[in-house]
């Protein structure tokens, strides 16, 4: 049994002014009931356009809150990285600000950690999502498990409790393209899933639309697999073989039957098919090159404009957790 830990909560927040005034007190009330050495709540304001920051300033007085103000909207993955880079606790709890992750599960997660698990990840029921989204997500997880050796558990999201050593391992990953679900899986450690039923968002709307989810999906695939690159090799080899066989057949036919003019339809069809396939794979190459370019530029994953807590209000211009 592990002893009472100091817990750091990490909450990414983008336009959550509607939720935070209820969420922070509810979370604090829950944490007060637990056997903890203490806790801190780190909220990362990810360039919100509403008055999330003002709400947070007003909460700082009454709760053990640390507010990290990012200089603009960097996206949830970067906001989570920022939070993880600032935790001081023995364990970190990653939780959304919109009540979709039930705080009632925290005691169970904590118990699993006490029993020796280094990472307890929530498995969402997805009962709040449309069937179409569920079908797409399921297909995506199947594709991911086929294309990469890293086992990314299906429907495991960002609601998780992680030990300090997992936090350190994630902090030390240098990449700028951060697909967090992949990174949690990549670092390994003794992990266990915990089913939870996802709640409806209390206020506001989800920041993720089809386009951002698609981008996240591509980022996951290219970040953890080079299968798309290899497909072009396989497909190229197959087509070359077919073209050779076809050429051989044409030569044979011409020798036996003499030359014949018809066949331009086949030619055009072949050309467009090949042209399409080539463009597709140039696109795939472009995806990887784009990612290499991002890594090479080596810009910080996020910039902290200011940090506030009851004890200290400080400002810093940049955070170069570039390692
Ligand atoms: N979020 C963020 N930056 C963003 C988008 C979202 O920090 O650019 C936060 C948001 O405030 C919430 C969490 O990430 O706490 C999950 O976002 P959301 O509820 O919009 O996504 P969904 O639950 O639909 O996946
Ligand atoms: Mg949500």
């Amino acid at each position: 049994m592990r002893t009472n830990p100091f817990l750091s909560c990490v909450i990414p927040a983008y336009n959550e002014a509607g939720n935070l005034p209820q969420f922070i007190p509810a979370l604090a009330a829950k944490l007060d009931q637990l056997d903890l050495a203490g806790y801190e709540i780190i909220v990362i304001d990810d360039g919100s356009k509403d008055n999330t920051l003002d709400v947070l300033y007003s909460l700082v007085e009454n709760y053990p809150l640390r507010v990290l103000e990012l200089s603009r909207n960097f996206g949830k993955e970067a906001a989570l990285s920022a939070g993880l880079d600032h935790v001081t606790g023995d364990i970190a709890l990653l939780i959304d600000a919109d009540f979709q992750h039930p705080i009632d599960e925290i005691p169970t997660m904590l118990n699993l950690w006490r029993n020796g698990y280094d990472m307890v990840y929530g498995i969402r029921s997805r009962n709040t999502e449309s069937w179409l989204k569920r079908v797409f997500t399921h297909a995506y997880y199947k594709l991911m498990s086929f294309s990469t050796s890293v086992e990314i558990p299906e429907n495991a999201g960002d609601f998780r409790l992680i030990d300090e050593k997992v936090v350190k391992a994630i902090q030390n990953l240098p990449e700028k393209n951060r697909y967090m679900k992949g990174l949690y899986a990549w670092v390994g450690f003794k992990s266990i899933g915990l089913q939870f039923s996802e709640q409806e968002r209390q206020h506001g709307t989800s920041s993720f639309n089809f386009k951002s989810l698609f981008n996240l999906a591509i980022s996951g695939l290219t970040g953890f697999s080079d299968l798309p690159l290899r497909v072009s090799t396989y497909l190229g080899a197959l087509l070359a073989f077919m073209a050779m066989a076809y050429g051989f057949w044409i030569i044979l036919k011409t020798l036996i039957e003499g030359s014949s003019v018809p066949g331009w339809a086949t030619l055009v069809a072949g050309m467009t098919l090949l042209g399409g396939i080539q463009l597709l794979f140039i696109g795939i190459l472009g995806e990887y090159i784009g990612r290499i370019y991002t890594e090479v530029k080596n810009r910080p994953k996020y910039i902290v404009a200011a940090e506030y807590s009851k004890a200290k209000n400080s400002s810093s211009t940049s955070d170069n957790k570039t390692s």
Side-chain angles (χ1 to χ4, degrees), residues 96 98 100 201:
D96 284 359
D98 56 5
Q100 286 197 279
R201 188 176 235 287

Side-chain angles (χ1 to χ4, degrees), residues 261-271:
V261 181
W264 74 272
T266 327
L267 213 71
V268 171
M271 268 171 56

Side-chain angles (χ1 to χ4, degrees), residues 1 47 51 73 76 106 178 255 274 312 315 320:
M1 265 308 248
N51 57 338
N73 179 250
K76 187 183 179 186
I106 300 173
R178 290 182 95 75
L255 285 178
L274 281 179
K312 61 171 186 170
S315 288
N320 291 313

Side-chain angles (χ1 to χ4, degrees), residues 139-171:
Y140 177 66
Y141 276 106
K142 281 268 166 293
L143 176 68
M144 281 300 275
S145 76
F146 176 73
S147 6
T148 157
S149 54
V150 180
E151 276 178 43
I152 301 175
E154 185 162 349
N155 295 332
D158 291 312
F159 181 35
R160 49 184 80 213
L161 185 78
I162 55 186
D163 189 89
E164 191 188 8
K165 51 187 182 216
V166 183
V167 174
K168 292 245 158 63
I170 294 175
Q171 284 173 351

